[in-house]
Amino acid sequence: LSDLSGNRTPWSAFGGNAESSSDFFVVAPASDLARNTWSELPGPPASVDAAGGALVGAGSDFLYALRGQGTTQFWRYSRSERAWSWMAATPGPVGSGATLAYPGSGEFVYALRGGGGVEFWRYSMGSDTWAPMAGAPGGTSYGALAAVGGAHLYGLGQGQWSAWFSRYSVATNTWEALAPAPSTAFYGMSLAYPGTGDFLYALRGGGTAEFWRYSIASNTWEALAATPGAVSTGGSLASAG
């Protein structure tokens, strides 16, 4: 799932399951949220797999997507043109746990490579180029990113041996360790920020119904009401706030 920065009402969702998929849907305009309806859009250029497929809105028109599946394929979708474009390939293959984030302004989109690695990249929308940034604090077999304002990204990751939760500074290209999540997060984990306020929200995934809230001000976690069903591969959060 993704909202669109600068026009936060629409939600978009695409991709995969264990067999992979090429479906793409949108909830828009605002009236559709009230009606609780989805509209189907042109599918992505190729099937999208749960192993690294990711989507993020950047600005009012474009969404960017990683195909995953161990490929370097990276695409852009234009809402106004209702069409997909192939963009510059990622610096390396993208695997399970890959995720994208956009700080809400500026020309850069950020990506965790996943696949158990620590690689963290920055994509320039203006020049269609990638650059390596400071590596994540731990390996990312399962991962999530959420932007808070234009200054920070919050990352939640699980590698082969350990879990991590950290804050990335866009200005200094550095990571800062934060209080660990209440439990180990797995496939289907997700992290979202509503756009204002003190809290980030997270799905634990891994076939559980656990739902958490993180306070930025106090650097603490708390458990909230469980989700209506177990969250597994493909679980995702987005905000219309």
Side-chain angles (χ1 to χ4, degrees), residues 122-203:
R122 187 177 73 180
Y123 172 77
S124 168
M125 295 184 286
S127 63
D128 187 28
T129 57
W130 290 90
M133 308 305 287
T140 308
S141 298
Y142 312 106
L145 283 174
V148 176
H152 295 101
L153 305 177
Y154 285 73
L156 181 63
Q158 173 66 43
Q160 183 176 4
W161 306 113
S162 62
W164 56 272
F165 179 59
S166 296
R167 178 170 57 199
Y168 174 79
S169 168
V170 171
T172 63
N173 185 33
T174 55
W175 292 90
E176 174 190 2
L178 301 173
S183 301
T184 302
F186 285 110
Y187 47 87
M189 65 187 294
S190 187
L191 191 65
Y193 180 64
T196 59
D198 181 47
F199 299 111
L200 290 96
Y201 296 85
L203 295 169

Side-chain angles (χ1 to χ4, degrees), residues 26-46:
V26 67
V27 177
S31 58
D32 280 0
L33 286 174
R35 291 197 300 264
N36 190 30
T37 60
W38 292 87
S39 301
E40 188 167 5
L41 299 175

Side-chain angles (χ1 to χ4, degrees), residues 56-80:
V56 70
S60 60
D61 188 37
F62 295 125
L63 294 102
Y64 290 85
L66 296 169
R67 182 186 181 190
Q69 295 181 270
T71 74
T72 60
Q73 294 177 25
F74 184 60
W75 310 314
R76 183 180 72 186
Y77 178 79
S78 168
R79 290 181 63 221
S80 60

